[in-house]
Amino acid sequence: MSEERRSSQGRSQGRGGNRQSSERGGGGRRGLFRRRKLCKFCVEKIDYIDYKDVRMLTPFVPDRGKILPRRISGVCATHQRQLQSAIKRARQIALVPYVTD
Amino acid sequence: MTKPRKYELVYVLSPEVSEDGVTELHKQVEAIVARFEGQIERTDNWGRRKLAYEIGRHKEATYVLEVIDGSGDLMKEIERRLKVNEQVLRYLVVRVDEELKAADRAKARRQAETDRRGARRRTPDAQSAESAASADAGEQVEE
């Protein structure tokens, strides 16, 4: 259903704007049929990102130990903010690495 | 009196600490909480887990979570005690009441929205107005 606004870059007229802020980038002019990324937390209706839940956080901490940018993961701004502080807390108590090499 | 705040306390103990040592420390925390007229809502021993990075020379450690209702002074005292304790590799105190409240609010808002959407599915105007409003509400999570 969100496929219809792939052509215009980000900004579309008509009934755009809903579908949360999770949709971003991705589309554009280049990769014509790139799938729109959706915020995992919005889709699964997670309201509170718990720093204790390692299983929830690890997909967003790739091998290097850095926090996955939202341009890659497609997480919406609100949730990225929460995710960020959750990861930082988890790092303090060694649930999630600061760096790995 | 100010209303109690909810805190989560996680402490990470050196793997050499025995079961008894863990309960001992828990008792100490309990005593401090009692002294400051707080309350332990729940205690959760995660047992031994692997650390994401080495602390000192340790590769694994025992984790304990306590959810505490109490004042800032109480947590300050607990922090002071944990800082001194050599068995404690790491500890983390997080105030969670406001975050949980915000999460509840987000949940309620979404619930309300799905209800409304079900009610007037055929009016796109109302729908986009709605989502604009909810986007606004999403910005101001404070208070």
Side-chain angles (χ1 to χ4, degrees):
Chain A
M1 100 230 230
S2 49
E3 239 67 340
E4 53 191 86
R5 27 179 320 235
R6 170 172 50 217
S7 52
S8 60
Q9 207 201 24
R11 225 152 291 153
S12 77
Q13 64 290 74
R15 58 202 294 281
N18 44 11
R19 207 59 294 144
Q20 281 104 323
S21 46
S22 54
E23 36 159 17
R24 289 229 37 181
R29 278 155 277 187
R30 332 171 262 135
L32 230 57
F33 287 101
R34 193 166 299 175
R35 213 163 71 76
R36 175 153 291 119
K37 283 167 277 182
L38 280 178
C39 173
K40 181 195 163 197
F41 300 104
C42 288
V43 172
E44 293 182 14
K45 303 201 164 69
I46 293 164
D47 291 312
Y48 178 60
I49 302 179
D50 195 349
Y51 64 94
K52 302 187 292 299
D53 189 348
V54 186
R55 210 155 325 131
M56 185 137 83
L57 301 180
T58 36
F60 299 96
V61 185
D63 299 340
R64 206 56 237 275
K66 293 186 169 192
I67 298 174
L68 196 69
R70 120 192 150 72
R71 111 180 88 85
I72 312 253
S73 62
V75 173
C76 75
T78 318
H79 283 123
Q80 180 76 9
R81 228 178 297 125
Q82 293 177 13
L83 179 67
Q84 175 192 323
S85 56
I87 290 175
K88 286 177 178 175
R89 283 172 185 174
R91 277 175 178 169
Q92 288 185 41
I93 49 173
L95 294 176
V96 164
Y98 281 104
V99 280
T100 30
D101 35 25
Chain B
M1 231 191 86
T2 51
K3 74 176 184 334
R5 300 167 169 189
K6 183 171 287 187
Y7 292 92
E8 282 180 0
L9 163 70
V10 182
Y11 46 87
V12 183
L13 300 175
S14 148
E16 286 131 38
V17 178
S18 62
E19 290 280 312
D20 293 344
V22 176
T23 42
E24 168 66 22
L25 192 64
H26 170 65
K27 286 223 181 76
Q28 283 182 27
V29 171
E30 224 169 16
I32 300 170
V33 171
R35 188 143 53 84
F36 280 81
E37 288 160 0
Q39 213 163 32
I40 296 188
E41 195 181 292
R42 92 193 141 89
T43 308
D44 200 353
N45 192 335
W46 300 352
R48 189 169 287 202
R49 3 178 341 138
K50 237 183 128 246
L51 294 168
Y53 50 87
E54 286 182 33
I55 301 178
R57 57 190 187 289
H58 302 295
K59 290 215 161 96
E60 49 178 32
T62 313
Y63 283 75
V64 182
L65 164 76
E66 319 239 16
V67 182
I68 298 170
D69 289 327
S71 64
D73 290 338
L74 161 61
M75 297 317 288
K76 221 179 199 167
E77 173 65 11
I78 289 179
E79 273 192 68
R80 195 183 64 76
R81 292 285 286 273
L82 292 178
K83 221 178 272 179
V84 172
N85 197 324
E86 301 243 313
Q87 301 172 330
V88 180
L89 301 179
R90 288 290 146 92
Y91 66 86
L92 177 70
V93 175
V94 180
R95 186 176 165 199
V96 289
D97 48 345
E98 305 215 312
E99 287 174 25
L100 292 179
K101 227 192 289 165
D104 280 349
R105 231 176 295 134
K107 197 179 218 165
R109 192 166 54 230
R110 200 185 38 238
Q111 188 56 45
E113 190 151 323
T114 45
D115 290 351
R116 246 178 314 172
R117 206 168 273 166
R120 30 175 144 143
R121 173 148 305 156
R122 295 274 155 236
T123 48
D125 262 23
Q127 222 177 65
S128 57
E130 238 170 63
S131 60
S134 74
D136 272 347
E139 304 269 324
Q140 32 178 289
V141 248
E142 283 310 312
E143 301 307 319

